[in-house]
Amino acid sequence: MSDALNPETPEETEEEPIKQRKNGLYPGVSDELAENMQSGWADTELRDLQPIAQAENTAARRAALSARFPGERLVIPAGNLKTRSNDTEYAFRSSVEYAYLTGNQTEDGVLVLEPVSDGHKATIYLLPRSNRENGEFWLNGQGELWVGRRNSLTEAEKLYGIPASDVRELADALREATGPVRVVRGYDAGIEAALTDKVTAERDEELRVFLSEARLVKDEFEIGELQKAVDSTVRGFEDVVKVLDKAEATSERYIEGTFFLRARVEGNDIGYGSICAAGPHATTLHWVRNDGAVRSGELLLLDAGVETHSYYTADITRTLPINGRFNPLQKKIYDAVYEAQEAGIAAVKPGGKFRDFHDAAQRVLATRLVEWGLLGDLDVEKVLELGLQRRWTLHGTGHMLGMDVHDCAAARTETYVDGTLEPGMCLTVEPGLYFQADDLTVPEEYRGIGVRIEDDILVTADGNKNLSAALPRTSEDVEAWMAQLKG
């Protein structure tokens, strides 16, 4: 690495004093206490660490990035903590770009790829362990005794297979750096400020787009993580069915909390805000307030996913009769959505267009809406031409899935929505029908019914694999499954 990113550290540096809490009970720290806290601590350095499971995968991803931008310095920040209120922060989740390339997930981290003669040299810049000499480890709100131990830089090198340096020196070094630079924007204002005269929005967007498109095709590690996320999600859905009686006695929040428990026990978190939409709330696509009543005889639309510790998330929806049995109208609507999903899944195959599964599902739904007399005397072709089915289908039939629930969102349209499916791509197929409670264009008995069925589909060499096939989908199988779980 050039001297520009390895500045000499002065022998003596002035450190800012650690700020005391304004209304803390202790006015200060005596010299005697400060001295006492500096000593008497065991050596806790971890010396037998092995590389993380995806270390080879992240190295391959960095190599692909290096090949795409030869001769340019590339800066990919993890991001910083965000204040929730006063002196509390939101739970940190690093930028997907950073986690994808390093496997590291700690706040303030930055990956730098510096150009060398044969590609790039990667360095991961991190906060070292809390300083025990100046009291940071017990006086600072982000010190070790407050929020837990960080890995040392030596430990980080072993875990991630990347040379590690102190991130507190990086901004100054970047200000002095020369040559072309690109940065992933939107995560670290301090790093961006240090590069303000060296980068352009257009060039930085090219970097962001490349990293988004690189995730379109998943490697074996990613596919394994997605299956792990799906398997945990299946168990979370089973948990919910078992406690529907308690949800009826309380609210949708009981469903939300039940699924969240599974996500936190088996994974890192939920992959997105759980949609626990009972009754007419099922017609609101992203109902995440989850504060409504759960009533026997109505439907529950549960859209939820567990996120693994490596950030890969499932995204599954099932629409369930709260009392365990669909009534005839609910079943008619549900079966139409199932038929549409079957048509969509069948269209997912290598060489097919991404749009194919959407078009196939929409055709089935439009056909049923015409048969039910909801579109006057128009035929299916005219309905599809005018998009009139969208009053009740509303959304697209699926999206890419991965480290983001709506993964690869920055990819170019020609490689995503207008692109061709390849083995290793993973996407959702999720048609739905939603009859709003105030929709006077449909018979009254339809109003307030919402149905969506969503599965996570992997494109394979010879077709596709439904990663979430363990959850029943037909109306008959759903009823039998619920009856079995309820005993």
Side-chain angles (χ1 to χ4, degrees), residues 406-467:
H406 296 144
D407 207 28
C408 313
R412 293 167 295 171
T413 300
E414 57 266 32
T415 61
Y416 188 158
V417 174
D418 292 336
T420 300
L421 297 178
E422 301 177 37
M425 290 182 171
C426 188
L427 51 90
T428 67
V429 178
E430 51 176 311
L433 283 173
Y434 312 92
F435 299 101
Q436 305 301 319
D438 59 350
D439 188 348
L440 302 181
T441 70
V442 299
E444 185 175 359
E445 60 268 24
Y446 282 71
R447 298 172 198 167
I449 295 178
V451 173
R452 179 163 66 252
I453 311 171
E454 176 181 21
D455 285 87
D456 300 342
I457 310 298
L458 174 68
V459 183
T460 62
D462 57 357
N464 68 65
K465 177 183 179 182
N466 184 350
L467 300 180

Side-chain angles (χ1 to χ4, degrees), residues 39-47 129 132 144 149 152 155:
S39 61
W41 304 100
D43 178 9
T44 61
E45 183 75 8
L46 305 175
R47 294 180 172 83
R129 290 195 57 192
R132 297 198 177 225
E144 186 171 302
R149 183 186 187 278
S152 70
E155 291 168 351

Side-chain angles (χ1 to χ4, degrees), residues 84 236 239-240 243-262 270 273-278 281 286-295 300-302 304 322:
R84 181 179 185 272
D239 295 339
V240 167
V243 300
L244 281 177
D245 58 334
K246 294 183 174 63
E248 287 188 61
T250 52
S251 75
E252 295 162 338
R253 292 284 168 92
Y254 204 96
I255 296 166
E256 178 183 356
T258 298
F259 186 83
F260 181 69
L261 177 62
R262 177 67 65 172
I270 49 174
S274 298
I275 300 168
C276 308
H281 289 162
H286 289 165
W287 176 261
V288 293
R289 299 178 200 172
N290 299 335
D291 59 359
V294 179
R295 292 178 285 259
L300 166 67
L301 190 157
L302 177 58
I322 293 167

Side-chain angles (χ1 to χ4, degrees), residues 86-100:
N86 188 23
D87 59 351
T88 62
E89 292 84 23
Y90 288 103
F92 180 73
R93 189 182 192 273
S94 74
S95 74
V96 164
E97 294 87 350
Y98 175 85
Y100 177 74

Side-chain angles (χ1 to χ4, degrees), residues 22-158:
K22 180 179 180 181
N23 287 306
L25 294 176
Y26 293 105
V29 177
S30 68
D31 292 342
E32 290 78 7
L33 176 59
E35 182 179 355
N36 176 277
M37 292 295 288
Q38 288 178 3
S39 61
W41 304 100
D43 178 9
T44 61
E45 183 75 8
L46 305 175
R47 294 180 172 83
D48 298 322
L49 293 175
Q50 298 299 314
I52 59 173
Q54 68 267 43
E56 291 186 4
N57 303 83
T58 56
R61 298 165 195 167
R62 293 192 299 274
L65 176 61
S66 172
R68 171 62 179 82
F69 298 103
E72 303 185 54
R73 181 173 284 111
L74 308 174
V75 182
I76 301 95
N80 316 123
L81 289 173
K82 294 183 180 179
T83 299
R84 181 179 185 272
S85 179
N86 188 23
D87 59 351
T88 62
E89 292 84 23
Y90 288 103
F92 180 73
R93 189 182 192 273
S94 74
S95 74
V96 164
E97 294 87 350
Y98 175 85
Y100 177 74
L101 293 168
T102 67
N104 178 258
Q105 300 173 5
T106 54
E107 66 268 19
D108 301 326
V110 184
L111 173 68
V112 177
L113 270 63
E114 186 181 7
V116 293
S117 59
D118 58 348
H120 286 81
K121 179 180 179 182
T123 303
I124 189 170
Y125 287 84
L126 302 165
L127 285 171
R129 290 195 57 192
S130 298
N131 191 320
R132 297 198 177 225
E133 293 300 315
N134 68 0
E136 173 198 358
F137 80 109
W138 70 287
L139 292 172
N140 187 289
Q142 294 301 316
E144 186 171 302
L145 296 193
W146 289 92
V147 298
R149 183 186 187 278
R150 293 192 290 265
N151 287 119
S152 70
L153 298 182
T154 301
E155 291 168 351
E157 289 186 1
K158 294 178 181 177

Side-chain angles (χ1 to χ4, degrees), residues 53 187 196 202 233 257 283 291 351 358 370 387 444:
Y187 298 113
T196 186
E202 181 179 7
T233 301
T283 66
D291 59 359
H358 170 71
V370 168
E444 185 175 359

